[in-house]
Amino acid sequence: MSKLKIAIQKSGRLYEESLQLLKDCGIFVNNGKDQLKVSVDNFPMEIMYLRNSDIPQYLEDGVVDIAIVGENLLAEKQKNIQIVEKLGFSKCRVSLAVPKEVETNELSYFQGRKIATSYPNTLKNFLDKNGIESDIHIISGSVEIAPNIGLADGICDIVSSGSTLFKNGLRETVTLLKSEAVLAKTFQMNTEKEAILQKFLFRIQSVLRAKNSKYILMNVPDEKIKDIANVLPVLKSPTVIPLAEKGWSSIHSVIDEERFWEVIDELKENGAQDILIIPIDKMVI
């Protein structure tokens, strides 16, 4: 039987969260960080630990079938690869930043100026679209130091919390793109591996739905059941269980994490009491 080859960053910010996702999907991996290739016992999958910058090329060439990788890297490498699922972790953005003493946030500041970056393709495409001509200096690491040593007037780099910029006397001005970890695949996958991918993708989507949802229980007067049900749109229909106290029922349902407090306020306004919220491990629909 074929095995689905998945590439994971062998070190860095995506490594731990990628392995946690596999674990949440019921795919258990022995500690193989120091190995280049590890087989999985309970799923037809083989894990390859690769340098982050090499993953897009390996995908395009079909050396690996799928990979967990950042959108920002795929945008920079410009390979013929398909994104099949956004994973919701390792969120960041590729942004322009300037010394904190520079007062303007306008993109025009960079006209004719020097920009240090490790994302030259992303930066050049963005500048070209906006009619800005700048002198791009390619740096493989420690981009934030460039303005301090007189190498550049600003930088283009990934930003998460912004603390690294702050420590180096810089501030963020313009966002080029927003990024998160994604599951990407090669276009050279055969039918058998595609079937395995769909099973894996089903597990991922169940995990992601659970992370974005909460199980909710509440006590409601019977005359308010219809009103409460209209506030709970996630599942087909809420579960209604009569309580020992006449005229009251317990309602069970699921709510979206993004609308959590908004929904809670609506439920209380419509008569819900004793509201309990429980995290969901998996959510299969």
Side-chain angles (χ1 to χ4, degrees):
M1 182 180 181
S2 294
K3 287 191 174 184
L4 195 65
K5 294 181 179 179
I6 179 172
I8 290 177
Q9 189 180 94
K10 68 178 181 179
S11 62
R13 62 194 183 93
L14 283 178
Y15 171 75
E16 293 291 345
E17 289 178 293
S18 297
L19 289 185
Q20 183 61 51
L21 177 63
L22 294 181
K23 183 179 179 180
D24 292 341
C25 291
I27 298 170
F28 298 99
V29 184
N30 292 326
N31 185 12
K33 188 175 180 181
D34 295 328
Q35 299 174 256
L36 294 178
K37 187 168 64 173
V38 177
S39 292
V40 176
D41 294 332
N42 64 343
F43 193 80
M45 177 178 285
E46 193 171 65
I47 300 172
M48 297 183 69
Y49 296 99
L50 303 174
R51 284 199 313 171
N52 191 46
S53 59
D54 292 337
I55 290 176
Q57 188 64 60
Y58 278 52
L59 270 174
E60 185 177 60
D61 293 342
V63 176
V64 294
D65 304 305
I66 59 174
I68 297 176
V69 65
E71 284 180 285
N72 56 301
L73 182 63
L74 296 182
E76 175 61 26
K77 295 298 184 179
Q78 301 178 346
K79 301 298 181 182
N80 188 26
I81 297 165
Q82 181 181 354
I83 294 175
V84 293
E85 187 72 35
K86 293 192 174 186
L87 302 177
F89 59 82
S90 290
K91 292 185 177 181
C92 64
R93 52 200 177 273
V94 178
S95 296
L96 287 163
V98 298
K100 60 183 180 181
E101 59 269 18
V102 176
E103 296 182 356
T104 182
N105 288 336
E106 296 297 324
L107 181 60
S108 58
Y109 165 81
F110 293 97
Q111 180 68 40
R113 296 183 186 269
K114 299 176 182 178
I115 307 175
T117 186
S118 53
Y119 292 88
N121 293 326
T122 303
L123 175 59
K124 186 177 186 307
N125 290 340
F126 180 80
L127 295 177
D128 288 347
K129 287 180 182 178
N130 288 276
I132 301 294
E133 293 185 7
S134 300
D135 186 3
I136 298 175
H137 286 247
I138 303 174
I139 300 178
S140 59
S142 301
V143 176
E144 296 85 359
I145 199 174
N148 292 329
I149 61 176
L151 181 63
D153 302 296
I155 69 166
C156 175
D157 202 14
I158 57 171
V159 179
S160 295
S161 66
S163 61
T164 303
L165 293 180
F166 180 80
K167 290 175 183 177
N168 286 276
L170 303 174
R171 62 181 187 85
E172 187 177 1
T173 57
V174 181
T175 298
L176 281 64
L177 64 88
K178 293 182 178 180
S179 172
E180 64 184 88
V182 298
L183 184 72
K185 75 169 188 175
T186 181
F187 281 105
Q188 300 187 40
M189 194 180 302
N190 61 38
T191 303
E192 187 176 5
K193 289 188 175 183
E194 184 67 44
I196 300 172
L197 171 59
Q198 292 307 310
K199 291 181 180 180
F200 180 46
L201 192 57
F202 174 78
R203 295 190 186 193
I204 289 177
Q205 291 168 346
S206 297
V207 169
L208 295 181
R209 276 194 294 264
K211 288 183 177 180
N212 294 327
S213 304
K214 298 292 184 184
Y215 191 79
I216 184 169
L217 306 84
M218 71 206 81
N219 294 332
V220 178
D222 288 345
E223 67 270 16
K224 293 288 187 178
I225 290 177
K226 185 176 180 180
D227 293 334
I228 293 294
N230 290 333
V231 182
L232 301 168
V234 174
L235 298 180
K236 294 179 181 178
S237 178
T239 300
V240 180
I241 303 173
L243 296 180
E245 183 175 347
K246 189 175 181 180
W248 285 81
S249 295
S250 175
I251 292 184
H252 299 206
S253 190
V254 172
I255 58 176
D256 290 326
E257 178 73 31
E258 291 183 357
R259 295 190 62 233
F260 178 82
W261 290 112
E262 177 186 344
V263 171
I264 294 298
D265 289 341
E266 290 184 52
L267 292 173
K268 290 181 66 178
E269 290 171 3
N270 282 280
Q273 299 181 16
D274 308 322
I275 301 172
L276 299 179
I277 308 299
I278 302 173
I280 301 173
D281 185 44
K282 305 288 188 299
M283 189 170 172
V284 181
I285 297 179

